[in-house]
Amino acid sequence: MTYENILVEKKNAIAYVTVNRPKVLNALNMATMEELRAAFHDIKSDAAIRVVIFTGAGEKAFIAGADIGELAKHDAVSGKEYTHRGQSVLNLIENLGKPVIACINGFALGGGCEIAMACTMRLASENAKLGQPEVKLGIIPGYGGTQRLPRLVGKGLAMQQILTGEMITAQEAYRIGLVNEVTAPAELIPRAEAIAAKIIVASRTERKASQWLPAERGRSRYSCGHSFGHPCPPCL
């Protein structure tokens, strides 16, 4: 599939997904969200892919938020449908069945911070800024931020972020548990790749071990013929 707003590359069991709208700080419009939906559905069904690295193009932003021009066109009714469509994409990412590492390389605001929180883990560059500034537009986080943020940092800190709309630094995000690690910008993707490599090795070990599990309910023996629950030294 050809994408206009994102880049997708697959190599070494890793899928690299990049929001590619640097001129607007990778702001999310619905066209971008639908491309993300298609890309993550493809990744989910691709057995060769074990880990996803998700980032934004350029050096200024991961995802700076929603496309305000597009958002302003909606009334309460169409805005509800717009929000539900976006939520379904984040739910897909969160429940992909494969680890998704968010590499936050700059601003992660509004929907951008919400997407990062839907990922399995978050790495941030030293220049990253995160926040939920929706209150300053008279709205609330619409893509699940009101639920995911408290789960990550606790209710009190989440309420402070949501009610003030303030941005926080990468270092503060690390302190409160919003991101896993903070790295130099040049080390962000390499660090994610190092983590991904460890995950891939571990997943291969798990798949190797799973051959000893029953393929279907009711089986009582390993594929080698030995009974479950008994030592199988020749096969170990």
Side-chain angles (χ1 to χ4, degrees):
M1 181 176 177
T2 301
Y3 302 109
E4 295 183 2
N5 299 296
I6 67 173
L7 303 173
V8 179
E9 180 183 7
K10 298 177 181 180
K11 62 180 180 180
N12 302 325
I14 302 173
Y16 297 79
V17 179
T18 304
V19 178
N20 189 33
R21 305 184 73 210
K23 291 183 179 179
V24 290
L25 299 180
N26 301 319
L28 294 172
N29 57 12
M30 192 49 64
T32 303
M33 294 296 284
E34 291 301 329
E35 288 186 10
L36 288 172
R37 186 196 307 277
F40 276 97
H41 271 303
D42 174 68
I43 290 166
K44 185 172 185 175
S45 64
D46 189 340
I49 297 301
R50 307 302 299 174
V51 183
V52 183
I53 292 176
F54 188 12
T55 192
E59 300 177 353
K60 295 182 179 180
F62 170 67
I63 297 168
D67 186 318
I68 300 301
E70 183 176 87
L71 192 64
K73 298 176 182 178
H74 291 281
D75 57 22
V77 175
S78 63
K80 180 179 179 180
E81 173 61 23
Y82 184 90
T83 298
H84 285 176
R85 286 174 67 187
Q87 288 173 352
S88 67
V89 176
L90 271 66
N91 290 340
L92 170 63
I93 294 171
E94 185 174 45
N95 299 296
L96 191 68
K98 302 176 182 184
V100 182
I101 305 172
C103 289
I104 304 170
N105 54 318
F107 292 111
L109 305 175
C113 190
E114 290 176 294
I115 282 188
M117 289 190 287
C119 294
T120 314
M121 60 194 79
R122 288 150 294 284
L123 309 182
S125 62
E126 293 168 339
N127 63 325
K129 298 287 180 66
L130 299 87
Q132 300 293 157
E134 290 90 346
V135 67
K136 296 180 179 180
L137 298 175
I139 57 177
I140 65 171
Y143 287 170
T146 58
Q147 308 305 305
R148 293 188 180 97
L149 187 57
R151 294 170 188 168
L152 288 168
V153 306
K155 183 177 178 180
L157 288 171
M159 291 296 289
Q160 181 177 343
Q161 291 300 117
I162 293 168
L163 294 176
T164 65
E166 293 178 344
M167 289 190 296
I168 60 173
T169 65
Q171 292 75 19
E172 176 65 6
Y174 174 72
R175 187 189 70 82
I176 66 176
L178 183 53
V179 302
N180 297 60
E181 298 181 16
V182 178
T183 76
E187 295 299 318
L188 187 60
I189 298 299
R191 177 57 183 150
E193 291 172 331
I195 294 172
K198 292 181 179 180
I199 292 171
I200 291 166
V201 169
S203 68
R204 287 172 179 163
T205 302
E206 183 276 331
R207 290 202 306 276
K208 185 176 181 181
S210 69
Q211 66 180 304
W212 304 112
L213 298 176
E216 57 188 41
R217 185 173 296 178
R219 285 186 54 189
S220 61
R221 294 181 178 273
Y222 295 107
S223 58
C224 63
H226 290 88
S227 299
F228 296 141
H230 294 279
C232 188
C235 298
L236 296 178

